[in-house]
Amino acid sequence: MVASTEALPEIKPKTLVIARPDDFASAVLASAVLAPTREALPQTRIFLLIRAKYAPLYVDHPALDGIFTISDDSTPEELAARFKKQKIEAIVHLAFSQKVAAAAKLAGVPISIAEKGEHDGSVSMEILRPKSDISRHPAFKNFDLLRPFGVSAPEHPEISLSVYRDAHREIFGEIGKQYGLANQSDYAVFCLDSNRQGHPIAASVFSKTAEWLTRFAGMPIIVLGNPSHSENFLRFSRNSHGAHIIDLRGKTSSAEDAWLIHNARVCLSGENAYAYLAVAMNCPLIALFVDFSDEGWFPLGHLSTNIFTGAHRFPCEPEWLYNYRASRAFRIEKIASALRFSLALSDEEINGKHEIVKGNRN
């Protein structure tokens, strides 16, 4: 059955699973659909299905009646048994998974919805995307799939998590022991990971930002993200101009990342998972966009400042060369201006610290 986005039947199931079993950014962004879904389906028991490592972001979420978790070791049979226990009547695949679809089939879930062209034929309803879909924010694409349940997309989708609170004590206790940071909030968070298109931001951009923070804000920098990007991180560390760098890449859980960002003065990221997390945790965010031509996402938050390179690809320019050039095209003046605003630093503070720096060099 194929349904257009113009005319869809309205379904009111007793139980509904919203499935987003893929990456970190998508698991965070999925939170934006929960409150509107709860409002549209007040009598429905609503469950979220995500990867197990992201479940601590949704502890006792007010819009949810429960969470199903999935991992690489999960089997369709195990998941089907949990679906049967909760008497699931409908599942919407915000991101299609053959394992989840097989579990729904085994459990006899009567209603299964997915995007047209992104499933194995095991769903009962397909949703067609509008032709202009490429330029739309992924949050609105999620809402497209929920339209059969009477869920309308708000004008401004809001990311809303309910994070495991014990992670707050655990991570700050550990940092306090190792780095003397304790539970203070006078630090910045950097994420040096590539964006979803694989475009990295040059280490020199983060290094110049670290230099500015060291001179004018005097705060340590916590680095979160994927530890596999070691070369970029090492280049950044070698040129961080004496900044106090705390490398926590790969050493923290999703909930610990959330609390670290929540307590930070500012977050700087060119990768959307940590940008979304900063929005969810109400942390001032500076989002860096290497190339916006094929990317429809924005951080969504009112505490966000978006900075673009302004670099354009030249005719016949190889993609690798454009990526290399664009990743270095951020102007530190723009980033510094955003930092001053985010940190609420006055001209007097900046000028005073600049004079101290000059004095120390003489």
Side-chain angles (χ1 to χ4, degrees):
M1 176 180 178
V2 177
S4 74
T5 55
E6 297 301 322
L8 295 172
E10 193 164 304
I11 305 167
K12 301 293 183 182
K14 293 181 180 179
T15 50
L16 168 67
V17 172
I18 298 171
R20 191 80 230 200
D22 47 352
D23 58 87
F24 190 11
S26 299
V28 176
L29 187 60
S31 69
V33 307
L34 299 183
T37 303
R38 169 56 63 206
E39 184 177 355
L41 301 171
Q43 304 304 317
T44 299
R45 295 172 63 229
I46 300 171
F47 298 84
L48 179 67
L49 187 152
I50 52 176
R51 298 191 70 81
K53 59 185 176 181
Y54 306 135
L57 299 175
Y58 287 95
V59 174
D60 297 326
H61 195 287
L64 291 174
D65 293 284
I67 297 176
F68 291 109
T69 60
I70 187 171
S71 65
D72 292 338
D73 297 330
S74 300
T75 66
E77 291 76 15
E78 292 169 343
L79 195 54
R82 286 183 273 163
F83 286 168
K84 285 182 179 180
K85 184 177 181 180
Q86 297 295 340
K87 300 179 180 178
I88 301 302
E89 293 184 359
I91 182 167
V92 56
H93 299 272
L94 299 187
F96 185 78
S97 160
Q98 289 186 335
K99 184 182 294 186
V100 176
K105 189 174 182 178
L106 287 172
V109 177
I111 301 168
S112 186
I113 299 174
E115 179 182 351
K116 179 175 172 57
E118 292 195 358
H119 59 87
D120 60 358
S122 61
V123 302
S124 59
M125 182 183 294
E126 297 176 320
I127 301 296
L128 298 174
R129 295 288 195 196
K131 293 181 180 179
S132 60
D133 195 54
I134 190 170
S135 62
R136 297 168 71 231
H137 194 286
F140 294 101
K141 299 177 186 180
N142 285 342
F143 279 100
D144 287 343
L145 290 159
L146 287 159
R147 286 194 61 195
F149 303 101
V151 181
S152 299
E155 185 177 355
H156 301 290
E158 294 185 5
I159 299 175
S160 174
L161 302 176
S162 180
V163 182
Y164 173 58
R165 292 201 66 87
D166 281 350
H168 181 275
R169 293 190 291 270
E170 292 167 5
I171 190 61
F172 282 108
E174 187 65 23
I175 289 177
K177 292 177 185 176
Q178 291 191 34
Y179 305 103
L181 193 62
N183 196 14
Q184 65 166 299
S185 60
D186 199 19
Y187 61 87
V189 167
F190 282 11
C191 177
L192 280 63
D193 293 355
S194 303
N195 66 12
R196 297 186 75 164
Q197 275 65 41
H199 300 157
I201 293 171
S204 60
V205 174
F206 289 103
S207 296
K208 290 175 183 177
T209 306
E211 179 185 20
W212 193 96
L213 284 169
T214 301
R215 285 190 181 187
F216 303 119
M219 61 178 62
I221 296 166
I222 293 177
V223 183
L224 301 176
N226 191 336
S228 67
H229 303 298
S230 296
E231 186 177 348
N232 196 32
F233 176 78
L234 289 173
R235 285 198 300 268
F236 157 65
S237 297
R238 284 195 298 266
N239 297 287
S240 56
H241 306 279
H244 182 192
I245 307 299
I246 302 173
D247 180 15
L248 295 182
R249 297 169 306 137
K251 301 174 184 177
T252 54
S253 67
S254 59
E256 289 171 334
D257 287 343
W259 284 118
L260 284 167
I261 290 175
H262 175 71
N263 283 274
R265 288 278 302 279
V266 67
C267 177
L268 193 85
S269 178
E271 190 272 342
N272 50 342
Y274 286 90
Y276 289 149
L277 200 58
V279 169
M281 303 308 292
N282 293 313
C283 175
L285 167 71
I286 298 174
L288 304 176
F289 292 86
V290 175
D291 179 9
F292 192 66
S293 61
D294 60 349
E295 181 109 35
W297 76 276
F298 277 103
L300 297 177
H302 65 281
L303 295 178
S304 302
T305 302
N306 302 323
I307 298 180
F308 303 88
T309 62
H312 298 282
R313 189 173 176 182
F314 299 134
C316 301
E317 182 179 22
E319 184 176 0
W320 70 266
L321 181 58
Y322 166 72
N323 290 339
Y324 177 87
R325 183 171 57 82
S327 72
R328 289 156 174 76
F330 292 96
R331 292 177 55 202
I332 187 59
E333 293 84 1
K334 282 187 177 181
I335 297 176
S337 178
L339 285 168
R340 289 181 61 176
F341 178 79
S342 297
L343 298 172
L345 296 176
S346 66
D347 289 340
E348 290 76 14
E349 289 176 294
I350 293 293
N351 292 333
K353 289 175 181 176
H354 183 59
E355 290 300 321
I356 292 173
V357 171
K358 286 171 61 180
N360 289 339
R361 288 180 173 178
N362 293 330

